[in-house]
Amino acid sequence: MTYSESVDTSNITVAESLYPVRIVTTGKSGSVSFTMNHLSDINWKLAMNGGTITTSGTGATKLNAYVPPLVGTEVRMMLAFQSLDDDEVIVWPQVFNTGSVEVERGTYETKAGLPVEFSVELPDPAILTTPYKRWTSGSLAQGI
């Protein structure tokens, strides 16, 4: 998993200085990207920002059909990361997959994966004022 956050800035300059007298933030954006190595119906639905899965039959005749969402009916989702050692948790309350989904079928060694890149959104500024929250414990918890 890779989390990226970028800051857009603008320089405020005056004629008396070659350096900016102040740098102001004009925008921020974040993204979470990873590859899901299990091509399940639920993971496919997550990668496509929603859609419907219908099941027919049972046992040996069971069949699932996935239909992607129509344009404008996609849904936002919550995403979370928990480290293997349980010493870090990150929760993004609202994300939307804005990356392209390219599945390459390969041999056993190369495996098929479902790559995704979610853009981080601020759900409702009246309720949440941060796009994510991070908790740490153990050696990662470094207080100031």
Side-chain angles (χ1 to χ4, degrees):
M1 180 206 69
T2 302
Y3 177 63
S4 302
E5 188 167 323
S6 63
V7 177
D8 299 326
T9 61
S10 183
N11 292 345
I12 297 176
T13 58
V14 294
E16 297 81 19
S17 175
L18 297 175
Y19 289 94
V21 294
R22 177 168 228 155
I23 300 172
V24 294
T25 301
T26 59
K28 285 185 144 190
S29 63
S31 68
V32 183
S33 59
F34 54 93
T35 299
M36 295 183 281
N37 288 327
H38 184 66
L39 299 181
S40 68
D41 293 330
I42 297 297
N43 284 350
W44 198 270
K45 186 175 178 178
L46 175 66
M48 299 300 161
N49 296 316
T52 57
I53 300 169
T54 54
T55 304
S56 61
T58 59
T61 63
K62 184 178 179 182
L63 180 67
N64 286 350
Y66 169 75
V67 177
L70 296 173
V71 173
T73 65
E74 302 94 348
V75 294
R76 271 69 176 156
M77 302 188 194
M78 178 184 282
L79 195 62
F81 164 80
Q82 182 173 355
S83 69
L84 188 60
D85 295 332
D86 289 333
D87 57 0
E88 180 183 23
V89 173
I90 307 173
V91 175
W92 297 272
Q94 185 168 306
V95 296
F96 189 75
N97 187 11
T98 54
S100 62
V101 178
E102 301 173 8
V103 179
E104 182 178 333
R105 306 291 182 175
T107 62
Y108 177 77
E109 293 80 23
T110 58
K111 298 180 183 177
L114 192 57
V116 290
E117 183 176 343
F118 291 95
S119 292
V120 176
E121 296 179 329
L122 191 59
D124 183 349
I127 298 170
L128 290 172
T129 57
T130 183
Y132 71 93
K133 193 166 187 178
R134 179 176 179 255
W135 294 268
T136 57
S137 65
S139 62
L140 290 181
Q142 303 285 326
I144 297 177

